[in-house]
Amino acid sequence: MGESFTGKRAGVDRRTFLTGTALAGAAAATATAGRAAAVQTAGVKPIVIASGNGLRSQADDGETCVERAFRMITEGADVLDAVIAGVNIVELDPEDTSVGYGGLPDAHGNVTLDSCCMHGPKKRAGGVAAIQGVRTPSLVAQAVADKTDHHLIVGQGAQDLARQFGFTIEDDLNTDTSRRIFFEWKRRVDPAHYLDPERDAALRWRVLHDMARDGIIDPEHMYGTINCNGVNAAGDVCGVTTTSGLAWKIPGRVGDSPILGAGLYVDNDVGAAGSTGRGEANLYNCASYLVVEEMRRGAHPKDAGMTALARIRANTVDSRLLNEDGNPNFDVNFYVVDKQGRHAGVRFYSGDNRNYAVCTENGAELVPIEGLIS
Ligand code: ASP
């Protein structure tokens, strides 16, 4: 089941072109998306949404995550199969250092991956955490959902299970890029070996930000994840989240991404919400579950997401996590779609033009993520 990536990445020009207007979206429409429109049957217009990297990595045929998932959905594929096929493109992209193969490693230099998925109509879910050696943890998460009685398998157990399921296990998922960045981090963070724990943690955090500032790490990849959610014409909803987690994490650290209710929640009667950003904030607040529950009470996806952000803000009280205005000094993003296909991307801060990816019958486009705090 190992796959190699020989695809491309959508360049800046293409992203810029895609951002914003419906015209741009229409112009970017893939032939497959156009074809898809013809097979819609019910009242719901199929849609796929994802974090912005869902419109960046490209497969050999040029398809991005959201385009592939949308095409498959409109060709009649199972929605979960479709969104997972979409995120596989990003997992296999060696240049995306936040997801799958080539994700930035933990503090010992090991790439450890987290993923979960939820199948709305079948009410099945599966996740793997801290798995090593498999490029596509989302497929292992799906196998956990389909082939076991469990929802979450971690560490060596997850790798052993993947081997039993026939996945290719590799010794090392680092690429030259992730290895080079890791050694740069080591060089900066560990000049005199470990200091006292508090100082050490502060130093790690500062070095991470310095490396982003110096252009060594894509700021979006300090954390960085892909979440992708889809709805088909029958209103069936599925979602998947997959990540290499926090760069340089303490070995064994697991974020929100593989945890049902935190990094992803799907209810086929309501919709789906998934998250990227500081996983600890999301874990504490079970925020994707909260978003879906808000939509169940009638909230629009945007308002539901904003409610979750407000909850996280209210529960963030440690001074080390607050900026001078008393707001969180980190960000969390939610990608939210309801069963009717209404959608939103929300985060704490609107400042730096972050987008999420959307694919509909009009094609793929990047849509601005709205901020709670301007
Ligand atoms: N939420 C992920 C984690 O905390 C990382 C991310 O989305 O950036 O592991």
Side-chain angles (χ1 to χ4, degrees):
M1 291 202 191
E3 270 185 90
S4 64
F5 180 92
T6 53
K8 311 179 278 288
R9 291 164 67 76
V12 171
D13 288 344
R14 183 164 185 267
R15 291 179 69 196
T16 308
F17 170 72
L18 288 170
T19 304
T21 65
L23 183 61
T30 60
T32 50
R35 195 166 68 229
V39 298
Q40 278 172 35
T41 50
V44 180
K45 292 192 171 182
I47 183 169
V48 174
I49 69 167
S51 37
N53 46 357
L55 199 48
R56 202 171 304 142
S57 303
Q58 293 177 298
D60 292 346
D61 58 6
E63 266 185 334
T64 59
C65 166
V66 291
E67 290 166 331
R68 175 163 295 177
F70 184 80
R71 175 178 58 77
M72 288 178 63
I73 287 172
T74 52
E75 287 174 354
D78 178 86
V79 178
L80 187 59
D81 288 345
V83 293
I84 288 179
V87 299
N88 288 163
I89 294 172
V90 185
E91 291 175 321
L92 294 169
D93 179 355
E95 293 305 316
D96 189 308
T97 55
S98 72
V99 176
Y101 177 56
L104 292 178
D106 68 16
H108 289 174
N110 296 314
V111 179
T112 67
L113 305 176
D114 300 333
S115 180
C116 75
C117 63
M118 293 186 76
H119 196 292
K122 290 184 184 166
K123 302 207 179 292
R124 282 194 199 157
V128 287
I131 185 173
Q132 295 187 34
V134 182
R135 295 186 183 198
T136 52
S138 61
L139 285 170
V140 188
Q142 187 180 30
V144 169
D146 286 343
K147 298 179 183 173
T148 80
D149 183 38
H150 309 303
H151 286 332
L152 182 60
I153 310 282
V154 308
Q156 188 61 47
Q159 190 191 77
D160 292 345
L161 196 67
R163 185 181 290 107
Q164 289 161 24
F165 288 148
F167 285 85
T168 301
I169 310 295
E170 297 177 61
D171 283 345
D172 185 5
L173 294 184
N174 276 292
T175 56
D176 287 347
T177 302
S178 64
R179 222 172 267 121
R180 176 177 51 75
I181 297 172
F182 174 73
F183 281 116
E184 177 62 18
W185 174 75
K186 275 299 228 192
R187 195 183 67 74
R188 291 183 181 218
V189 83
D190 198 15
H193 305 300
Y194 290 166
L195 310 170
D196 72 83
E198 252 177 55
R199 190 174 154 197
D200 190 43
L203 179 64
R204 283 161 186 252
W205 189 243
R206 203 186 66 230
V207 165
L208 186 60
H209 281 267
D210 287 352
M211 289 176 71
R213 185 204 56 212
D214 295 348
I216 297 167
I217 302 176
D218 180 337
E220 291 188 41
H221 292 186
M222 281 162 39
Y223 288 94
T225 291
I226 183 164
N227 161 247
C228 182
N229 308 311
V231 185
N232 67 10
D236 286 337
V237 188
C238 295
V240 60
T241 300
T242 178
T243 190
S244 53
L246 177 65
W248 336 130
K249 59 197 169 192
I250 292 175
R253 177 266 188 188
V254 170
D256 58 328
S257 304
I259 305 299
L260 308 177
L264 174 71
Y265 199 72
V266 176
D267 188 312
N268 209 48
D269 293 337
V270 181
S275 178
T276 62
R278 182 178 155 80
E280 282 69 15
N282 204 12
L283 280 168
Y284 188 87
N285 293 280
C286 286
S288 291
Y289 180 74
L290 174 59
V291 173
V292 172
E293 289 308 294
E294 283 297 304
M295 290 196 290
R296 193 194 304 281
R297 288 189 272 273
H300 183 278
K302 176 183 166 185
D303 298 327
M306 291 296 184
T307 297
L309 289 170
R311 176 76 59 85
I312 293 173
R313 176 161 70 165
N315 281 334
T316 302
V317 297
D318 275 351
S319 57
R320 71 191 168 88
L321 297 173
L322 298 172
N323 63 22
E324 55 199 18
D325 296 327
N327 288 314
N329 60 14
F330 54 85
D331 220 330
V332 176
N333 309 268
F334 293 104
Y335 312 96
V336 192
V337 63
D338 68 14
K339 194 176 173 63
Q340 291 75 41
R342 299 182 302 172
H343 57 92
V346 298
R347 59 194 291 243
F348 277 124
Y349 297 103
S350 48
D352 50 0
N353 299 323
R354 296 279 174 86
N355 300 299
Y356 67 110
V358 177
C359 193
T360 65
E361 60 186 331
N362 297 321
E365 62 179 325
L366 290 169
V367 176
I369 301 178
E370 297 185 63
L372 178 71
I373 304 162
S374 49

